[in-house]
Amino acid sequence: MVQVPNDRRYTSEHEWAKEDDGRILVGITEFAQDQLGDIVFVGLPDPGAEVKAGEPVGEVESTKSVSDVYSPVSGRVVDKNTEVEQTPELVNSDPYGRGWLVRIEPADEGIEQLMTADAYSGLIGFEQEGH
Amino acid sequence: MSEQSEGSLQPSGGTRQLGADFPLIFEESRPGRRAWSLPDVKVDAPPLEELIPSNLRRATPPGLPQVSERDLVRHYTRMSQRNWAIDVGAYPLGSCTMKYNPKVAEEAAGLPGFSSIHPMADDELVQGALELLGLLQRALCEATGMAALTFQPAAGAQGELTGLLIMRAWHRSKGDVRKRVIIPDSAHGTNPASVTLAGYEAQEVRSDDRGLVDVDALKAVLDDDVAGLMLTNPNTLGLFERDIQEIAAAVHEVGGLLYYDGANFNSIVGIVRPGDMGFDIVHLNLHKTFATPHGGGGPGSGPLAVSQRLEPFLPAPVLEFDEGSERWGWQHDRPDSIGRIHSFHGNFGINVRAYAYLRSLGPEGLRRVAELAVLNANYLKTLIEGSFPTKYPGSCMHEFVASATALKKHGVRAMDVAKRLIDLGYHPPTVYFPLVVEEALMVEPTETESKETIDGFAAALNQIAEEAQADPALLHEAPTTTPVRRPDEARAARRLKVRWSGP
């Protein structure tokens, strides 16, 4: 069973978002990394980039495919995980920790409008059965 | 006599068995050894310094391997013996149309009048070659229902880019700048890549539960900012987009154009024409549908055909027949052309093969190609659906996408099935594509495989499904019969090393 920690919120595109001292930390879920397989490349925007909720904020490439990462919130990228750009396998081994992708200064709202861990667990439970 | 193990009996310079490992050509290099010695120059040549500016000259020679002709031939012959090719066995790689290519096409392409001509030769001296291009152009326009065509694109993806640049030029000619191109989620990855390269934004529409474009979802995103729609029909799930006329009408309604990705043309050639479905721009992969050995990186041929209203924008020059002089020639005066997208006129030899194939089959034969490709795929689908079901109901076209999800509970993935097939003597199908099917196995047997081969391939797959249950380790260890077993793809991609850097 994949982990869905309670300390953060989720999107239907399998990103997680976590409050971190007024900023929002963003990554992809354990379910997402499992579906993608071995991640071989992570492309992230440089700090300063403006992002909109639901629009791409980077891409992850696995041996199977390339996928956009969609920003859970609107705002400005203030930091990116350079370690994960060098060592993309961190997204596989620690998706909720060292495998984080970007830190965003939110423009207005926080992450309360996103899915709770319970709701997201329901979604991936459905997706797992749906196929 | 000293005791020796069998392994050390290998004499120096002995030839090992074919499957065994052998050195890289760089490792076989010996200083001064040559495969060919150029004769001495008997005329006074100006010094190199005068011919080539110093900033363009290398300081040191390139690190090329130094080998004799014999070394060179043996090395590449041994390499070729490791190849899997359609001339060796079945190659059911979905969406690639790896069909057997009749040797008559090779013979035609090898004729000196085609193979020994120079691309800079005067039109007057190569009238036969130009006539062949002209006749092939006419035949392909007839088969696609289009008005005009360029042979410049060297493969499908370049055809896509050419088509999108024509799309842009056409909109611009009407003072209309549009930003988005719509692509279904089952599309080939080259489609969104070409869209991005052409300066457009790719917008995805989801497939519905039939595996087809969701027409309502499409209509919801159509507006006057949409430059066009790219569609593969039948799509990569091997399903015919049966709403194509409604789709075409909706796209044209907002002033967009329809682009036909010809990757799967093999299944409809001679039966239905993209032009009649409402498409405005069509690329063909001659190396898929019209006989060319492919799968090693080319060369390919991706001619692009367009409807009459887009003809002025084709890459220049275009081939024309002058009725007065009864001569073929190149027309360069094309003010609205998007310009050249390839030197000369594409990969000419591939076009000769395509023409020979077309003429040897004729219209009825081509139609049979499509019918048998569809029949073979459906027969194979039926034989394996107990073990590898398809996600979408109903019959398929020339290919289908089966799923290996039923084996997941034994810890077996689509990749393991693919690797095990190698041990059983079959090239694996395409795996993990299209993305809309989990654990996808995308199978295209093509029209040229016999019932016996298809039965054998199905038996191998069904055997693997049983092995997954009885002995999953066997599948995880596969392949066991190849010189290289399972390369670590992830590590290869993460720590990419593409250059020989010495021992």
Short mmCIF file of all heavy atoms in Angstrom, two decimals, chain A residues 13 34-35 38-40 63-66 86-89 92 127-128 131, chain B residues 206 391 405 408 413 432 435-439 488-491 493-495:
data_model
loop_
_atom_site.label_atom_id
_atom_site.label_comp_id
_atom_site.label_asym_id
_atom_site.label_seq_id
_atom_site.Cartn_x
_atom_site.Cartn_y
_atom_site.Cartn_z
N GLU A 13 -3.73 15.35 -10.07
CA GLU A 13 -2.64 15.00 -10.99
C GLU A 13 -1.46 14.40 -10.24
O GLU A 13 -0.35 14.28 -10.78
CB GLU A 13 -2.18 16.23 -11.78
CG GLU A 13 -3.27 16.88 -12.63
CD GLU A 13 -3.62 16.06 -13.86
OE1 GLU A 13 -2.86 15.15 -14.23
OE2 GLU A 13 -4.69 16.34 -14.45
N ASP A 34 5.60 5.54 -8.35
CA ASP A 34 5.46 4.10 -8.61
C ASP A 34 4.92 3.85 -10.02
O ASP A 34 5.37 2.94 -10.72
CB ASP A 34 4.53 3.49 -7.56
CG ASP A 34 4.39 1.98 -7.74
OD1 ASP A 34 5.43 1.30 -7.68
OD2 ASP A 34 3.26 1.49 -7.96
N GLN A 35 3.97 4.70 -10.43
CA GLN A 35 3.41 4.55 -11.78
C GLN A 35 4.45 4.89 -12.85
O GLN A 35 4.50 4.27 -13.90
CB GLN A 35 2.20 5.48 -11.95
CG GLN A 35 1.00 5.09 -11.11
CD GLN A 35 0.32 3.84 -11.63
OE1 GLN A 35 -0.07 3.77 -12.79
NE2 GLN A 35 0.18 2.83 -10.79
N ASP A 38 11.37 4.12 -12.69
CA ASP A 38 12.64 4.78 -12.37
C ASP A 38 12.75 6.16 -13.01
O ASP A 38 12.75 6.27 -14.24
CB ASP A 38 13.81 3.91 -12.84
CG ASP A 38 13.93 2.64 -12.01
OD1 ASP A 38 13.63 2.71 -10.79
OD2 ASP A 38 14.32 1.59 -12.56
N ILE A 39 12.85 7.18 -12.18
CA ILE A 39 12.97 8.56 -12.68
C ILE A 39 14.44 8.79 -13.08
O ILE A 39 15.35 8.50 -12.32
CB ILE A 39 12.60 9.59 -11.59
CG1 ILE A 39 11.26 9.24 -10.92
CG2 ILE A 39 12.61 11.00 -12.14
CD1 ILE A 39 10.04 9.58 -11.68
N VAL A 40 14.63 9.29 -14.31
CA VAL A 40 16.00 9.49 -14.79
C VAL A 40 16.34 10.96 -15.01
O VAL A 40 17.50 11.31 -15.22
CB VAL A 40 16.25 8.69 -16.08
CG1 VAL A 40 16.12 7.21 -15.81
CG2 VAL A 40 15.32 9.11 -17.19
N THR A 63 12.10 5.97 -17.29
CA THR A 63 12.49 5.13 -18.42
C THR A 63 11.28 4.84 -19.31
O THR A 63 11.44 4.40 -20.43
CB THR A 63 13.10 3.79 -17.94
OG1 THR A 63 12.22 3.20 -16.98
CG2 THR A 63 14.44 4.01 -17.28
N LYS A 64 10.07 5.11 -18.80
CA LYS A 64 8.87 4.86 -19.59
C LYS A 64 8.35 6.08 -20.31
O LYS A 64 7.87 5.98 -21.43
CB LYS A 64 7.75 4.36 -18.67
CG LYS A 64 7.90 2.94 -18.18
CD LYS A 64 6.60 2.49 -17.55
CE LYS A 64 6.76 2.11 -16.11
NZ LYS A 64 5.49 1.96 -15.42
N SER A 65 8.37 7.25 -19.63
CA SER A 65 7.69 8.40 -20.23
C SER A 65 8.16 9.71 -19.61
O SER A 65 8.90 9.72 -18.63
CB SER A 65 6.18 8.28 -20.01
OG SER A 65 5.89 8.37 -18.63
N VAL A 66 7.70 10.81 -20.21
CA VAL A 66 7.94 12.14 -19.67
C VAL A 66 6.61 12.70 -19.20
O VAL A 66 5.62 12.61 -19.93
CB VAL A 66 8.52 13.09 -20.73
CG1 VAL A 66 8.85 14.43 -20.12
CG2 VAL A 66 9.74 12.49 -21.38
N GLN A 86 20.31 16.65 -9.73
CA GLN A 86 21.54 15.86 -9.86
C GLN A 86 21.28 14.37 -9.61
O GLN A 86 21.93 13.51 -10.20
CB GLN A 86 22.59 16.34 -8.85
CG GLN A 86 23.09 17.76 -9.09
CD GLN A 86 23.77 17.90 -10.43
OE1 GLN A 86 24.53 17.03 -10.85
NE2 GLN A 86 23.46 18.98 -11.15
N THR A 87 20.36 14.09 -8.69
CA THR A 87 20.12 12.72 -8.25
C THR A 87 18.62 12.41 -8.35
O THR A 87 17.93 12.35 -7.34
CB THR A 87 20.59 12.55 -6.78
OG1 THR A 87 21.81 13.26 -6.60
CG2 THR A 87 20.80 11.10 -6.43
N PRO A 88 18.13 12.24 -9.59
CA PRO A 88 16.68 12.12 -9.77
C PRO A 88 16.06 10.92 -9.05
O PRO A 88 14.87 10.94 -8.76
CB PRO A 88 16.52 12.00 -11.29
CG PRO A 88 17.87 11.69 -11.84
CD PRO A 88 18.87 12.21 -10.87
N GLU A 89 16.89 9.90 -8.72
CA GLU A 89 16.31 8.73 -8.05
C GLU A 89 15.75 9.05 -6.67
O GLU A 89 15.01 8.24 -6.10
CB GLU A 89 17.32 7.58 -7.99
CG GLU A 89 18.69 7.92 -7.44
CD GLU A 89 19.70 8.29 -8.53
OE1 GLU A 89 19.34 9.10 -9.41
OE2 GLU A 89 20.84 7.79 -8.50
N ASN A 92 12.12 8.69 -6.45
CA ASN A 92 11.65 7.32 -6.22
C ASN A 92 11.82 6.90 -4.77
O ASN A 92 10.91 6.32 -4.17
CB ASN A 92 12.43 6.32 -7.09
CG ASN A 92 12.13 6.45 -8.57
OD1 ASN A 92 13.01 6.74 -9.36
ND2 ASN A 92 10.87 6.27 -8.96
N GLU A 127 -8.47 4.68 -8.84
CA GLU A 127 -7.68 4.51 -10.06
C GLU A 127 -7.08 3.11 -10.14
O GLU A 127 -6.99 2.53 -11.19
CB GLU A 127 -6.56 5.56 -10.11
CG GLU A 127 -7.10 6.95 -10.34
CD GLU A 127 -6.14 7.84 -11.09
OE1 GLU A 127 -4.98 7.45 -11.26
OE2 GLU A 127 -6.56 8.93 -11.49
N GLN A 128 -6.68 2.61 -8.96
CA GLN A 128 -6.07 1.29 -8.97
C GLN A 128 -7.09 0.22 -9.36
O GLN A 128 -6.76 -0.73 -10.04
CB GLN A 128 -5.47 0.97 -7.59
CG GLN A 128 -4.13 1.66 -7.39
CD GLN A 128 -3.66 1.59 -5.96
OE1 GLN A 128 -4.45 1.79 -5.04
NE2 GLN A 128 -2.39 1.30 -5.77
N HIS A 131 -8.58 0.18 -13.40
CA HIS A 131 -7.87 -0.37 -14.57
C HIS A 131 -7.94 -1.88 -14.62
O HIS A 131 -7.67 -2.52 -13.64
CB HIS A 131 -6.41 0.06 -14.53
CG HIS A 131 -6.27 1.51 -14.92
ND1 HIS A 131 -6.41 1.95 -16.20
CD2 HIS A 131 -6.05 2.60 -14.16
CE1 HIS A 131 -6.25 3.25 -16.23
NE2 HIS A 131 -6.04 3.66 -15.02
N ARG B 206 -8.77 14.20 -23.66
CA ARG B 206 -8.79 12.82 -23.16
C ARG B 206 -9.59 11.91 -24.07
O ARG B 206 -10.50 12.34 -24.76
CB ARG B 206 -9.38 12.80 -21.76
CG ARG B 206 -8.50 13.58 -20.82
CD ARG B 206 -8.81 13.33 -19.38
NE ARG B 206 -7.79 14.07 -18.61
CZ ARG B 206 -7.35 13.74 -17.43
NH1 ARG B 206 -7.82 12.70 -16.82
NH2 ARG B 206 -6.42 14.45 -16.82
N LYS B 391 -8.16 -3.20 -23.06
CA LYS B 391 -8.96 -2.36 -22.17
C LYS B 391 -10.28 -1.97 -22.83
O LYS B 391 -11.29 -1.78 -22.15
CB LYS B 391 -8.14 -1.10 -21.84
CG LYS B 391 -8.80 -0.14 -20.87
CD LYS B 391 -7.83 1.00 -20.54
CE LYS B 391 -8.52 2.11 -19.75
NZ LYS B 391 -7.61 3.26 -19.55
N THR B 405 -1.68 -6.35 -16.78
CA THR B 405 -2.02 -6.07 -15.36
C THR B 405 -2.40 -7.34 -14.60
O THR B 405 -2.19 -7.41 -13.39
CB THR B 405 -3.18 -5.08 -15.21
OG1 THR B 405 -4.14 -5.37 -16.20
CG2 THR B 405 -2.71 -3.65 -15.35
N LYS B 408 0.36 -8.75 -12.55
CA LYS B 408 0.98 -7.92 -11.51
C LYS B 408 0.91 -8.60 -10.13
O LYS B 408 1.81 -8.43 -9.32
CB LYS B 408 0.29 -6.56 -11.44
CG LYS B 408 1.09 -5.44 -12.09
CD LYS B 408 0.31 -4.15 -12.07
CE LYS B 408 1.02 -3.07 -11.26
NZ LYS B 408 0.31 -1.78 -11.35
N ARG B 413 5.71 -7.82 -14.53
CA ARG B 413 5.31 -6.60 -15.24
C ARG B 413 5.44 -6.82 -16.76
O ARG B 413 6.04 -7.80 -17.21
CB ARG B 413 6.22 -5.43 -14.83
CG ARG B 413 6.42 -5.26 -13.34
CD ARG B 413 5.16 -4.78 -12.65
NE ARG B 413 4.80 -3.42 -13.02
CZ ARG B 413 4.94 -2.35 -12.23
NH1 ARG B 413 5.46 -2.50 -11.03
NH2 ARG B 413 4.58 -1.15 -12.63
N TYR B 432 4.55 -0.28 -22.51
CA TYR B 432 4.28 0.97 -21.77
C TYR B 432 3.89 2.13 -22.68
O TYR B 432 4.15 3.27 -22.38
CB TYR B 432 5.48 1.33 -20.88
CG TYR B 432 5.77 0.26 -19.86
CD1 TYR B 432 6.93 -0.49 -19.89
CD2 TYR B 432 4.83 -0.03 -18.86
CE1 TYR B 432 7.18 -1.49 -18.97
CE2 TYR B 432 5.06 -1.01 -17.93
CZ TYR B 432 6.23 -1.74 -17.98
OH TYR B 432 6.46 -2.72 -17.06
N LEU B 435 0.15 5.61 -23.14
CA LEU B 435 0.13 5.77 -21.68
C LEU B 435 -1.26 5.55 -21.08
O LEU B 435 -1.37 5.37 -19.87
CB LEU B 435 0.63 7.18 -21.32
CG LEU B 435 2.03 7.52 -21.87
CD1 LEU B 435 2.37 8.97 -21.57
CD2 LEU B 435 3.08 6.60 -21.29
N VAL B 436 -2.30 5.59 -21.91
CA VAL B 436 -3.66 5.46 -21.37
C VAL B 436 -3.99 4.02 -20.98
O VAL B 436 -5.03 3.76 -20.39
CB VAL B 436 -4.74 5.98 -22.36
CG1 VAL B 436 -4.65 7.50 -22.46
CG2 VAL B 436 -4.58 5.36 -23.73
N VAL B 437 -3.10 3.07 -21.29
CA VAL B 437 -3.31 1.69 -20.88
C VAL B 437 -2.19 1.27 -19.93
O VAL B 437 -1.00 1.43 -20.25
CB VAL B 437 -3.35 0.73 -22.09
CG1 VAL B 437 -3.44 -0.72 -21.65
CG2 VAL B 437 -4.52 1.07 -23.00
N GLU B 438 -2.57 0.75 -18.76
CA GLU B 438 -1.58 0.34 -17.78
C GLU B 438 -0.90 -0.95 -18.24
O GLU B 438 -1.56 -1.84 -18.79
CB GLU B 438 -2.30 0.11 -16.45
CG GLU B 438 -1.42 0.31 -15.24
CD GLU B 438 -2.13 -0.07 -13.95
OE1 GLU B 438 -3.37 0.00 -13.91
OE2 GLU B 438 -1.44 -0.46 -13.01
N GLU B 439 0.39 -1.07 -17.99
CA GLU B 439 1.16 -2.28 -18.36
C GLU B 439 0.88 -2.67 -19.82
O GLU B 439 0.59 -3.83 -20.12
CB GLU B 439 0.83 -3.44 -17.41
CG GLU B 439 1.22 -3.18 -15.96
CD GLU B 439 2.73 -3.04 -15.77
OE1 GLU B 439 3.47 -3.86 -16.33
OE2 GLU B 439 3.15 -2.09 -15.09
N ASP B 488 20.78 -1.92 -17.10
CA ASP B 488 20.10 -1.06 -16.14
C ASP B 488 19.72 0.23 -16.85
O ASP B 488 20.51 1.16 -16.95
CB ASP B 488 21.05 -0.78 -14.96
CG ASP B 488 20.38 0.05 -13.87
OD1 ASP B 488 19.33 0.65 -14.16
OD2 ASP B 488 20.91 0.06 -12.75
N GLU B 489 18.48 0.24 -17.38
CA GLU B 489 18.05 1.39 -18.20
C GLU B 489 18.09 2.69 -17.42
O GLU B 489 18.45 3.74 -17.96
CB GLU B 489 16.62 1.18 -18.67
CG GLU B 489 16.46 0.13 -19.73
CD GLU B 489 14.99 -0.14 -19.95
OE1 GLU B 489 14.36 0.60 -20.69
OE2 GLU B 489 14.46 -1.10 -19.34
N ALA B 490 17.68 2.62 -16.15
CA ALA B 490 17.64 3.84 -15.35
C ALA B 490 19.04 4.40 -15.16
O ALA B 490 19.29 5.59 -15.34
CB ALA B 490 16.99 3.56 -14.00
N ARG B 491 20.00 3.51 -14.84
CA ARG B 491 21.36 3.98 -14.62
C ARG B 491 21.96 4.48 -15.94
O ARG B 491 22.69 5.48 -15.97
CB ARG B 491 22.21 2.84 -14.04
CG ARG B 491 23.54 3.31 -13.55
CD ARG B 491 24.19 2.31 -12.60
NE ARG B 491 25.63 2.47 -12.69
CZ ARG B 491 26.45 1.60 -13.26
NH1 ARG B 491 25.96 0.48 -13.76
NH2 ARG B 491 27.73 1.83 -13.33
N ALA B 493 20.42 5.93 -18.31
CA ALA B 493 19.88 7.26 -18.60
C ALA B 493 20.42 8.31 -17.64
O ALA B 493 20.66 9.45 -18.02
CB ALA B 493 18.36 7.22 -18.56
N ARG B 494 20.59 7.90 -16.37
CA ARG B 494 21.05 8.88 -15.38
C ARG B 494 22.53 9.20 -15.54
O ARG B 494 22.96 10.32 -15.35
CB ARG B 494 20.82 8.33 -13.97
CG ARG B 494 19.37 8.33 -13.54
CD ARG B 494 19.21 7.55 -12.25
NE ARG B 494 17.81 7.43 -11.87
CZ ARG B 494 17.34 6.43 -11.15
NH1 ARG B 494 18.13 5.46 -10.72
NH2 ARG B 494 16.06 6.39 -10.83
N ARG B 495 23.32 8.17 -15.86
CA ARG B 495 24.77 8.36 -15.99
C ARG B 495 25.17 8.08 -17.43
O ARG B 495 25.95 7.19 -17.71
CB ARG B 495 25.53 7.40 -15.06
CG ARG B 495 25.00 7.34 -13.66
CD ARG B 495 25.65 8.35 -12.73
NE ARG B 495 25.00 8.30 -11.43
CZ ARG B 495 23.99 9.10 -11.06
NH1 ARG B 495 23.51 10.00 -11.90
NH2 ARG B 495 23.45 8.99 -9.87
#
